[in-house]
């Protein structure tokens, strides 16, 4: 079984939402408790699943810090989307080395489900290269959050061009370029 940065990132966001709701209801102690849980889980994601030598989050084998694989997917950026407490220089390293790398994710068709340069990449593969709009949306939010506004806008333009190429929205899109 795996410990996964993506699923844990969703839990961090949910805990932060519960903190915001409690805060709106005037339940300061509850809000602080939810926030503390979100912060603790965010730190655990970093301690367990972040590999600074690769500037990447990976799935790890349960109870270990051993990567299950080193396949690069947009899932590896979800801890940034969730706002885990990673130092700014590490965040910039991840974004600039991987998210904005056209050979990996920032191609003409942004954020395939497996990086363009991975041996398992297949532009027709359901989870091996196709583009999923909800992931692209989260990546746009991530770029915007960390000050990469021009790149976020460029990503939005690219995904909208992909949407406009068909008469209706699809669940996912072929990521072949050219």
């Amino acid at each position: 079984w795996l410990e996964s940065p993506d699923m844990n990132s969703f839990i961090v966001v949910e805990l932060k939402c519960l903190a915001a709701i409690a805060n709106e209801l005037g339940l300061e102690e509850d809000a602080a408790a939810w926030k503390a849980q979100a912060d603790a889980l965010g730190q655990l994601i970093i301690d367990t699943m972040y590999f600074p030598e690769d500037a990447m989050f990976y799935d790890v084998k349960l109870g270990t810090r051993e990567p299950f694989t080193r396949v690069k997917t947009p899932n590896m950026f979800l801890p940034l989307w969730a706002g885990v407490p990673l130092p700014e220089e590490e965040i910039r390293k991840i974004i600039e080395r991987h998210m904005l790398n056209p050979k990996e994710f920032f191609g003409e068709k942004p954020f395939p489900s497996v990086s363009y340069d991975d041996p398992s990449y297949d532009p027709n593969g359901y989870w091996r290269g196709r583009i999923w709009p909800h992931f692209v949306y989260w990546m746009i939010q991530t770029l915007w959050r960390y000050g990469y506004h021009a790149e976020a806008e460029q990503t939005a333009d690219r995904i909208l061009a992909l949407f406009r190429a068909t008469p209706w929205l699809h669940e996912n899109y072929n990521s072949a370029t050219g």
Side-chain angles (χ1 to χ4, degrees), residues 4 6 15 24 51 55 57 66 74-75 91 116 118 137 145 161-162:
S4 168
D6 55 334
L15 292 168
E24 280 295 313
F51 294 82
F57 290 91
E66 182 182 339
N75 289 347
I91 292 168
Y116 286 113
D118 191 276
Y137 176 68
R145 167 184 275 159
L162 192 57

Side-chain angles (χ1 to χ4, degrees), residues 3-92:
E3 293 182 88
S4 168
D6 55 334
M7 294 310 297
N8 283 295
S9 296
F10 290 123
I11 295 169
V12 168
V13 171
E14 291 167 355
L15 292 168
K16 288 179 177 183
C17 289
L18 289 170
I21 291 167
N23 196 48
E24 280 295 313
L25 295 173
L27 304 170
E28 284 108 25
E29 287 181 27
D30 291 339
W34 290 119
K35 183 183 179 314
Q37 286 186 44
D39 292 345
L41 180 55
Q43 189 61 52
L44 188 59
I45 291 169
I46 293 167
D47 295 344
T48 308
M49 294 173 251
Y50 183 62
F51 294 82
E53 65 276 10
D54 295 339
M56 192 62 84
F57 290 91
Y58 292 119
D59 291 344
V60 295
K61 294 177 184 173
L62 191 61
T64 75
R65 195 168 185 279
E66 182 182 339
F68 180 69
T69 69
R70 290 186 183 266
V71 174
K72 294 176 284 187
T73 74
N75 289 347
M76 307 316 182
F77 306 127
L78 288 176
L80 300 183
W81 171 75
V84 300
L86 196 63
E88 184 176 337
E89 65 273 7
E90 292 297 315
I91 292 168
R92 296 213 173 280

Side-chain angles (χ1 to χ4, degrees), residues 30-175:
D30 291 339
W34 290 119
K35 183 183 179 314
Q37 286 186 44
D39 292 345
L41 180 55
Q43 189 61 52
L44 188 59
I45 291 169
I46 293 167
D47 295 344
T48 308
M49 294 173 251
Y50 183 62
F51 294 82
E53 65 276 10
D54 295 339
M56 192 62 84
F57 290 91
Y58 292 119
D59 291 344
V60 295
K61 294 177 184 173
L62 191 61
T64 75
R65 195 168 185 279
E66 182 182 339
F68 180 69
T69 69
R70 290 186 183 266
V71 174
K72 294 176 284 187
T73 74
N75 289 347
M76 307 316 182
F77 306 127
L78 288 176
L80 300 183
W81 171 75
V84 300
L86 196 63
E88 184 176 337
E89 65 273 7
E90 292 297 315
I91 292 168
R92 296 213 173 280
K93 223 186 328 181
I94 294 168
I95 291 172
E96 293 171 11
R97 189 183 298 177
H98 301 291
M99 286 185 82
L100 297 179
N101 183 340
K103 293 179 182 175
E104 292 183 20
F105 293 100
F106 203 64
E108 174 189 330
K109 295 181 179 177
F111 298 102
S113 53
V114 171
S115 68
Y116 286 113
D117 65 348
D118 191 276
S120 68
Y121 168 76
D122 174 3
N124 290 311
Y126 197 66
W127 280 109
R128 283 290 166 220
R130 293 188 67 83
I131 293 171
W132 296 76
H134 62 288
F135 272 98
V136 177
Y137 176 68
W138 295 329
M139 298 304 99
I140 291 168
Q141 288 180 317
T142 301
L143 290 168
W144 193 269
R145 167 184 275 159
Y146 295 107
Y148 294 86
H149 297 169
E151 294 85 349
E153 294 288 336
Q154 187 177 12
T155 303
D157 290 343
R158 288 177 181 174
I159 196 69
L160 288 173
L162 192 57
F163 293 166
R164 283 189 215 106
T166 61
W168 55 80
L169 289 176
H170 296 273
E171 177 183 26
N172 57 64
Y173 293 82
N174 182 300
S175 61

